[in-house]
Amino acid sequence: MDLFDVVATIVKVALVVGILISTVPVLTWVERRGSAFIQLRLGPNRVGPLGLLQPLADGIKFLFKEDVIPPHVYKLFYVAAPAVSFIAAVLAFAVIPFGSAFVVDGRTVPLVILDVDVGVLFLLAASGMGVFGIILAGWSSNNKYSMLGGLRSSAQMISYELSLGLAIVSVLIYAGTLRPVEIVQQQIGGTWNVFPLFIGFLILLVSAFAETNRLPFDLPEAETELVAGYHTEYSSMKFSMFFMAEYINMITGSALVTTLFLGGYALPFQRLVFEGWLGLEGNLLAVLELLSFTAKVGFFLWLFVWVRWTLPRFRFDQLMRLGWKVLIPLALVHVVWASLLVMWGVPA
Amino acid sequence: MSLVAGVVLGAISIQWVAFLVLAVVAIAAALVVVLHRSPVVGAMGLVTNFLCIAGIYVLLNAYFFAALQVIIYAGAVVVLITFVIMLLNLQPEAKGGPGVVPVALAALLGLALIAVVGRPLLEYAAPEAGPPAPDFGTVAQVGEALFTVYFYPFLAVSLALLSAMVGAVLLAKRRLED
């Protein structure tokens, strides 16, 4: 590892974290304008053209709000909780490949921050730590609504992590590797995993909604019953950190579904059309791959918004029943299906 | 200051410093688990301890075990423990605690355990370790060892876990039928 690698890694980390954080305001704009569009309203349209500067105004408002720490909280955990949520959300993205490689000054720079043998497990571990932020916030707030929110969140996370994990396991069996970069390479060489493993794709998608606490599974913060759930007692930038963590988790979830099932950064018919007929290679191809990755992730992010403003919230027992009695058995059967495909020699 | 100077001069490796930090934090967190009166603070001490152990696994090149440690222990197990603590709404222990005799007895038993476990450790001479093989600690290598060399122990552990699971389901069902 020489100076070039060190600088390349620092640049990649800075860019990825910067893009993750600056996508959040864009997403809030999409969420508010999208919800207005779905509900036949106008939405925020006063600040800047099409209301595009509204998130900026919101951000400034957050910074200047009074940062209240109520006297009845357990201070250490109350302050640490938003940071835990936020750091875990950002950390999980490190293993997602967002392009093949750029060639800079004759040296290749792979477009992934952390390319390790246990990549997918790293993502699960990092996102698994995020739930502690919510649990700690719920407990340390010393408030019954926060407490109920935290309690619901831990039950929900445990339940849906199982079906999420099993859906991922079926991809791992099919691909025969835990390295996200290799999973994407295989999909470029063959077909996208969504075709042979369609049920797994659906299970992962549903579980991702539950893991990110988004409607129709947003019971930890159900505002009609729990005020605001685990972040009832939070204000100013501390609340904003929970908010950003939720949106970054959405981005990571979308990127995970894309990487495992939709070919990651692969262009449609990449080998045949883009590398074959058009003869693209090197940096130009990498730029197109980046665009392709962004488009796929963007689609799932819109899906998150679309579903939130279309479906009503589940009841808690319905949520648990769906998780334990439908998704987990289905995911187990799907693991067997993936194993059968491997036995028949389907993956090339 | 001498520690920093040692690292800069190359006399002390960065791994050694990392190990020192992880070990000290792990032991401190373990003490929090045992000594703190609030069960939630104890659970968070447990997470910290598990994360430090995972860090030590990384220093030993055992990345797979580090990932499993975080997912299973720091993630699933402690989330479950916290869930139970919050569900039962456990309060911090009242002042007082056990009397002198139980504490003395526990200390005695603890020292005896340390003596029994510690003696072979003191006598054990670690073999000269070279650098690990390039595939050491990878998922493939651990998996192969699990299904060849350690196949029967692996099978036995799986059966033990399965019986525990069946037992838990049976106990829960019986209470439902009452």
Side-chain angles (χ1 to χ4, degrees):
Chain A
M1 198 167 190
D2 60 358
L3 193 65
F4 182 85
D5 289 323
V6 174
V7 172
T9 307
I10 292 174
V11 169
K12 276 190 286 186
V13 170
L15 275 180
V16 167
V17 173
I19 289 173
L20 278 181
I21 292 177
S22 49
T23 310
V24 173
V26 179
L27 272 177
T28 61
W29 180 83
V30 171
E31 179 106 57
R32 295 176 72 177
R33 292 288 293 194
S35 66
F37 168 69
I38 289 170
Q39 297 175 337
L40 296 178
R41 294 183 284 115
L42 283 174
N45 63 353
R46 296 285 138 169
V47 193
L50 294 172
L52 265 170
L53 294 179
Q54 182 68 37
L56 200 68
D58 287 344
I60 293 170
K61 190 185 74 177
F62 269 131
L63 278 172
F64 285 100
K65 282 261 180 182
E66 188 187 354
D67 186 10
V68 186
I69 298 183
H72 54 78
V73 300
Y74 191 97
K75 215 164 174 181
L76 173 66
F77 291 164
Y78 178 85
V79 174
V84 171
S85 273
F86 183 72
I87 291 171
V90 174
L91 209 56
F93 199 85
V95 291
I96 301 277
F98 40 89
S100 53
F102 273 133
V103 179
V104 181
D105 199 18
R107 306 212 17 195
T108 48
V109 181
L111 293 183
V112 54
I113 293 173
L114 188 64
D115 180 18
V116 285
D117 179 47
V118 292
V120 177
L121 293 181
F122 177 90
L123 191 144
L124 282 178
S127 67
M129 287 298 99
V131 65
F132 281 114
I134 295 177
I135 294 178
L136 281 181
W139 182 79
S140 67
S141 292
N142 207 358
N143 164 325
K144 59 186 166 200
Y145 297 118
S146 303
M147 176 83 160
L148 280 172
L151 198 58
R152 282 181 177 186
S153 176
S154 48
Q156 180 175 328
M157 290 277 194
I158 294 174
S159 310
Y160 280 80
E161 220 156 60
L162 288 174
S163 48
L164 182 96
L166 284 170
I168 292 175
V169 161
S170 57
V171 176
L172 300 182
I173 290 176
Y174 187 78
T177 175
L178 280 158
R179 203 185 276 260
V181 177
E182 276 178 37
I183 295 176
V184 171
Q185 289 296 339
Q186 286 176 1
Q187 293 181 83
I188 292 178
T191 52
W192 295 358
N193 287 340
V194 65
F195 298 113
L197 304 171
F198 187 68
I199 305 289
F201 167 71
L202 290 183
I203 294 170
L204 185 65
L205 200 58
V206 174
S207 307
F209 275 90
E211 288 283 308
T212 47
N213 292 322
R214 291 279 297 188
L215 259 165
F217 305 121
D218 74 332
L219 287 120
E221 49 171 302
E223 70 272 6
T224 41
E225 328 158 26
L226 296 181
V227 190
Y230 59 88
H231 55 58
T232 306
E233 298 283 4
Y234 282 88
S235 53
S236 186
M237 275 318 276
K238 289 204 191 66
F239 165 75
S240 171
M241 273 169 105
F242 277 123
F243 195 74
M244 287 200 280
E246 180 185 318
Y247 279 89
I248 292 175
N249 274 327
M250 276 163 59
I251 301 173
T252 310
S254 306
L256 180 69
V257 176
T258 306
T259 304
L260 293 185
F261 286 101
L262 286 183
Y265 53 77
L267 295 152
F269 304 107
Q270 176 158 348
R271 281 280 145 79
L272 184 69
V273 178
F274 289 91
E275 290 176 22
W277 298 348
L278 299 177
L280 294 176
E281 56 176 17
N283 286 350
L284 188 59
L285 188 66
V287 169
L288 285 179
E289 285 170 347
L290 263 175
L291 288 177
S292 155
F293 181 76
T294 315
K296 289 176 198 173
V297 172
F299 167 75
F300 283 109
L301 288 172
W302 168 247
L303 189 72
F304 271 105
V305 174
W306 189 3
V307 167
R308 173 171 176 185
W309 297 99
T310 310
L311 295 181
R313 185 179 297 127
F314 274 59
R315 226 170 46 221
F316 198 68
D317 60 315
Q318 293 170 329
L319 175 85
M320 284 294 144
R321 200 180 314 139
L322 178 71
W324 287 95
K325 294 193 171 168
V326 179
L327 286 183
I328 292 177
L330 199 64
L332 278 172
V333 172
H334 189 260
V335 168
V336 175
W337 165 248
S339 316
L340 282 177
L341 286 180
V342 172
M343 214 177 77
W344 295 329
V346 175
Chain B
M1 211 43 225
S2 60
L3 200 67
V4 177
V7 172
V8 173
L9 293 176
I12 303 172
S13 72
I14 197 99
Q15 278 88 351
W16 196 82
V17 178
F19 172 76
L20 202 69
V21 171
L22 288 171
V24 169
V25 176
I27 292 172
L31 285 175
V32 168
V33 177
V34 182
L35 296 176
H36 205 279
R37 289 179 189 280
S38 163
V40 173
V41 178
M44 289 309 119
L46 200 58
V47 179
T48 315
N49 179 277
F50 285 156
L51 289 178
C52 289
I53 304 284
I56 291 176
Y57 283 155
V58 169
L59 287 181
L60 292 171
N61 275 20
Y63 301 109
F64 183 48
F65 282 110
L68 289 189
Q69 170 84 6
V70 176
I71 294 174
I72 298 171
Y73 289 97
V77 170
V78 183
V79 169
L80 202 64
I81 290 177
T82 328
F83 178 69
V84 172
I85 292 171
M86 285 167 72
L87 195 67
L88 299 178
N89 200 12
L90 292 180
Q91 297 301 321
E93 270 179 273
K95 287 251 154 99
V100 180
V101 177
V103 170
L105 205 65
L108 205 68
L109 282 174
L111 284 177
L113 185 69
I114 289 174
V116 171
V117 178
R119 236 194 72 192
L121 276 181
L122 283 180
E123 287 165 2
Y124 177 72
E128 274 301 312
D135 69 335
F136 177 79
T138 59
V139 184
Q141 201 239 8
V142 172
E144 203 183 311
L146 214 54
F147 284 103
T148 52
V149 186
Y150 302 105
F151 181 66
Y152 290 106
F154 178 59
L155 213 60
V157 169
S158 312
L159 280 176
L161 284 175
L162 183 68
S163 62
M165 230 161 87
V166 172
V169 170
L170 261 179
L171 285 176
K173 268 200 101 113
R174 189 184 301 163
R175 205 179 315 150
L176 275 184
E177 281 161 7
D178 283 347

